[in-house]
Amino acid sequence: MTEASTMQPANRGDARICRGCWDQMHMPIPIRGPLALPFRAFGITRSKMNPNICTICERSFRYVKKQSHVAASATILFADIRGFTHLSERIERVRLSEIVSLFQDRCAQAIWAHDGIVNKQMGDGLMAIFNFPIIRKDHAEAAILAGRDIQRLCAAALGSLQFDDLKGETLGVGVGIHSGEVEIGEFSSFRSDFTAIGGTVNLASRLESQAEAGEILISPETAAEAAALTTGAGTRLLVLKGIDQPVEARVLAVH
């Protein structure tokens, strides 16, 4: 066994070295254990996007990739609490914060468990990227599995809330997933962390906007890459804002 292979992080769990830096540069940056302490002194810590990558991946894209942005194949996942705007008009801010915290926490657990990163948090919604910076050839399957876990974990957490303001209503989450080419990089002059842009991101967002509570809407492209997980799923023909052609989405309902 070579020295490099002994340094390679495990595929799952709490990695000792940054999996993003390893996959992108083959550079072993310690993020756990005694070897990580000197790096922390220089501000290199575990990323909030995924605790198995470091802040070099998160904030130093131009140095890692040697350019401002790159094209990559990825799967994008969006998730959002259904009816949140209406709900926010009926309950107190403290209770609203509890709902958002539970949602974001459970979503992050699900995404990290399948090697995705929580790239953006938008109050009652979020965006996740699979296959960058942690490389997974089965990123479409990973995103679908994360979507299933999001629905399961959020249903348990949000369903346990007892708010008189809800009057018996059950909170739910909608998920949209699409795979394709994206541009990944730093697109702002005043923020140094990276994100993904492009038509793939837009379509994933549009799918999520049409998902009902408890549903995962999956694009045909993602379904084709993860046939074992989508065989037998229902279909729904959707006309989406900003998308030229109707999309025949696969529908997974998690109960």
Side-chain angles (χ1 to χ4, degrees):
M1 183 178 294
T2 66
E3 181 179 356
S5 65
T6 60
M7 289 296 296
Q8 187 169 0
N11 289 333
R12 301 291 183 271
D14 296 335
R16 285 177 169 269
I17 67 174
C18 172
R19 294 185 59 196
C21 288
W22 180 263
D23 286 355
Q24 298 298 324
M25 301 182 294
H26 243 52
M27 181 180 295
I29 302 296
I31 55 175
R32 291 182 175 87
L35 293 178
L37 296 177
F39 288 84
R40 292 177 191 170
F42 290 96
I44 300 173
T45 60
R46 282 177 280 170
S47 170
K48 293 182 179 180
M49 292 186 182
N50 183 312
N52 283 334
I53 66 174
C54 73
T55 48
I56 291 178
C57 293
E58 178 182 337
R59 301 173 184 168
S60 305
F61 183 91
R62 295 175 191 271
Y63 300 101
V64 172
K65 302 302 292 183
K66 307 301 182 184
Q67 50 192 312
S68 60
H69 58 87
V70 297
S73 177
T75 297
I76 306 297
L77 178 152
F78 278 86
D80 182 88
I81 301 175
R82 295 285 80 106
F84 185 80
T85 301
H86 178 63
L87 179 68
S88 64
E89 298 172 351
R90 299 162 55 193
I91 65 175
E92 298 175 358
R93 283 180 294 177
V94 173
R95 293 179 173 181
L96 205 63
S97 297
E98 182 181 352
I99 292 172
V100 170
S101 295
L102 281 172
F103 165 75
Q104 293 288 356
D105 178 68
R106 299 307 188 272
C107 285
Q109 289 178 32
I111 291 162
W112 296 342
H114 298 283
D115 297 331
I117 63 166
V118 179
N119 186 240
K120 293 180 180 178
Q121 292 178 303
M122 302 156 284
D124 62 319
L126 60 78
M127 167 184 159
I129 303 174
F130 294 81
N131 203 35
F132 190 92
I134 299 174
I135 295 176
R136 279 198 64 158
K137 293 181 179 179
D138 61 342
H139 51 90
E141 292 187 0
I144 293 174
L145 292 172
R148 285 181 171 179
D149 286 349
I150 285 172
Q151 292 291 13
R152 177 177 55 82
L153 293 172
C154 286
L158 299 178
S160 66
L161 297 177
Q162 299 295 325
F163 290 155
D164 294 337
D165 313 72
L166 298 181
K167 298 180 180 179
E169 295 180 22
T170 302
L171 292 174
V173 173
V175 175
I177 302 174
H178 178 45
S179 304
E181 292 296 308
V182 298
E183 286 289 317
I184 295 179
E186 298 171 9
F187 300 98
S188 171
S189 60
F190 57 87
R191 288 181 62 88
S192 60
D193 50 342
F194 68 87
T195 189
I197 63 172
T200 297
V201 178
N202 295 338
L203 180 51
S205 177
R206 295 290 186 259
L207 287 171
E208 176 268 305
S209 70
Q210 297 298 310
E212 297 179 4
E215 285 186 344
I216 305 169
L217 294 186
I218 302 166
S219 72
E221 290 79 5
T222 301
E225 293 186 30
L229 297 178
T230 56
T231 299
T235 61
R236 184 179 301 159
L237 191 63
L238 300 171
V239 178
L240 303 173
K241 182 180 179 181
I243 308 299
D244 293 336
Q245 298 297 323
V247 175
E248 188 175 42
R250 301 296 190 275
V251 184
L252 293 182
V254 181
H255 300 290

